[in-house]
Amino acid sequence: MNLTAHPLLFGSMWLTVTALVFLLPLLPALRELYSRSDADALAIDPLDNGRTDYTALRMAEQLDLLEAMPRVAQWRYDDQGRLMVPRGQGRLMARTALPVVIGFRSQLRTLVSSDIVELQANSVVQRVLHAKSIHCLGPAQLARLTSADRHIVLSPGARFVRLSAACIFTWPLKRSLSFPLPELGTGMPLTRLQRRHEGDLRIPAGSIVQGGLVITGNLLMEEMSVVVGHVKVHGNAILAQSACVQGAVFVQGDLQTKGNNYVEGPLCAGKRLHLGPDSQVGDKDCLSSVSAWTIALHASVRVYGSIAAVRSGQVVL
């Protein structure tokens, strides 16, 4: 039979071949439709609260008990009954219910404690550190994942990457700030439309801006100025002395606070972030977060919630 003499038959055959070629990638989906093989949905992990301490809580039961290690019998206790980790413990991965002091130039991989952990000068924890409270008494190197149930105290020179606690603060300790203008009411919801400002923006000293802002240039908030709302800056941002934001602050460039600043919501910078002395982010009733590529914390800084530095974070003088 000559196919050229039957164009209808010839076209039907090519149409069938073309349809098969295009439907072939859909074969697995068709098989799944008629014979399901997907696994059941995973159960929600009750420990996964989105905080840094998740890793420590998950791996705690897999760690060796510190008190059961033979070498611990050769260690000493201080006058407060705390276990002193001696120098040279580079491979230690353990959990304990005792308060622990990580001595001068000691190095650990992982430590999970249900009591207080104290880090002396030049001590290092490499991977995971979790405790009820964590105190740095010198330029210590905190673990990449460091968390505490209560608080983390950072001394000058302390270095970190990710921190999570009810309160994170730097020496010297001072009383927590409160928003200076409570009569302004609550902050602005994240879903409310923000005003757009083209170019740089300078907010004069002592002025109050009601509502959120989107700034395509740089932002300068002068002394005692206040923004009630969320702020997004495409350039760099500077908050002068006592400038406050009752909302979240997102900056694509560098962000610097000069001191005595209060930010109620999350604080995020795409590059460098400097939190000046006596600054505060969040409060005990409203946990927040601080994140940037690099982070520098000055004296008497308080952060309620978490801190995350992509490259590095440090407490500076």
Side-chain angles (χ1 to χ4, degrees):
M1 181 177 63
N2 190 357
L3 292 178
T4 58
H6 301 277
L8 182 62
L9 179 61
F10 181 77
S12 300
M13 291 180 61
W14 272 110
L15 180 62
T16 303
V17 172
T18 302
L20 290 175
V21 170
F22 279 98
L23 290 176
L24 189 61
L26 300 178
L27 181 60
L30 294 174
R31 293 179 58 186
E32 185 66 25
L33 181 64
Y34 291 100
S35 178
R36 297 185 180 276
S37 60
D38 279 349
D40 294 334
L42 297 176
I44 296 176
D45 191 339
L47 296 178
D48 190 359
N49 54 12
R51 289 164 50 112
T52 307
D53 57 7
Y54 171 69
T55 301
L57 296 175
R58 289 292 299 170
M59 68 185 303
E61 296 301 322
Q62 304 173 13
L63 296 175
D64 295 330
L65 186 63
L66 182 63
E67 293 85 337
M69 294 181 176
R71 53 188 168 181
V72 175
Q74 303 174 1
W75 297 358
R76 63 184 180 87
Y77 294 83
D78 63 6
D79 54 0
Q80 301 180 26
R82 299 176 300 180
L83 185 62
M84 301 287 294
V85 178
R87 185 175 177 179
Q89 299 298 319
R91 296 182 176 274
L92 179 63
M93 300 177 62
R95 58 185 171 89
T96 180
L98 296 176
V100 178
V101 177
I102 304 176
F104 178 73
R105 290 188 177 178
S106 298
Q107 292 192 17
L108 309 181
R109 285 193 178 182
T110 299
L111 179 64
V112 178
S113 174
S114 55
D115 211 301
I116 298 175
V117 172
E118 181 179 289
L119 290 89
Q120 295 184 348
N122 298 323
S123 58
V124 177
V125 181
Q126 299 171 344
R127 297 181 181 177
V128 177
L129 174 61
H130 179 78
K132 182 172 69 175
S133 296
I134 298 172
H135 300 165
C136 293
L137 300 184
Q141 173 68 59
L142 293 171
R144 293 189 60 84
L145 300 178
T146 299
S147 57
D149 297 328
R150 295 184 180 178
H151 56 261
I152 298 175
V153 183
L154 302 174
S155 59
R159 300 180 301 279
F160 58 86
V161 177
R162 291 186 61 181
L163 305 175
S164 176
C167 183
I168 305 166
F169 48 87
T170 62
W171 289 103
L173 308 183
K174 291 188 177 181
R175 191 173 65 177
S176 175
L177 299 174
S178 60
F179 194 70
L181 298 172
E183 65 273 12
L184 293 174
T186 58
M188 188 182 70
L190 287 170
T191 55
R192 185 176 298 180
L193 185 64
Q194 297 170 288
R195 289 181 293 169
R196 184 178 181 87
H197 181 89
E198 298 293 338
D200 298 342
L201 175 64
R202 180 181 63 86
I203 301 178
S207 60
I208 300 175
V209 177
Q210 294 279 356
L213 298 170
V214 176
I215 303 160
T216 62
N218 301 319
L219 169 66
L220 172 60
M221 294 182 62
E222 295 185 345
E223 291 81 0
M224 296 296 295
S225 60
V226 177
V227 175
V228 183
H230 309 299
V231 179
K232 181 180 180 181
V233 183
H234 289 213
N236 303 321
I238 297 177
L239 277 63
Q241 285 279 343
S242 302
C244 300
V245 177
Q246 192 176 12
V249 179
F250 301 96
V251 180
Q252 290 189 354
D254 298 337
L255 172 59
Q256 184 177 9
T257 68
K258 295 297 186 177
N260 198 41
N261 305 104
Y262 178 85
V263 178
E264 184 181 67
L267 192 63
C268 178
K271 295 181 180 178
R272 294 182 294 270
L273 171 62
H274 287 256
L275 277 180
D278 303 316
S279 295
Q280 179 176 321
V281 179
D283 58 50
K284 61 182 179 180
D285 297 321
C286 180
L287 297 182
S288 189
S289 63
V290 172
S291 58
W293 192 262
T294 60
I295 298 176
L297 306 179
H298 290 259
S300 302
V301 168
R302 287 178 181 263
V303 176
Y304 291 86
S306 62
I307 301 177
V310 177
R311 175 178 293 173
S312 63
Q314 188 171 3
V315 181
V316 298
L317 296 176

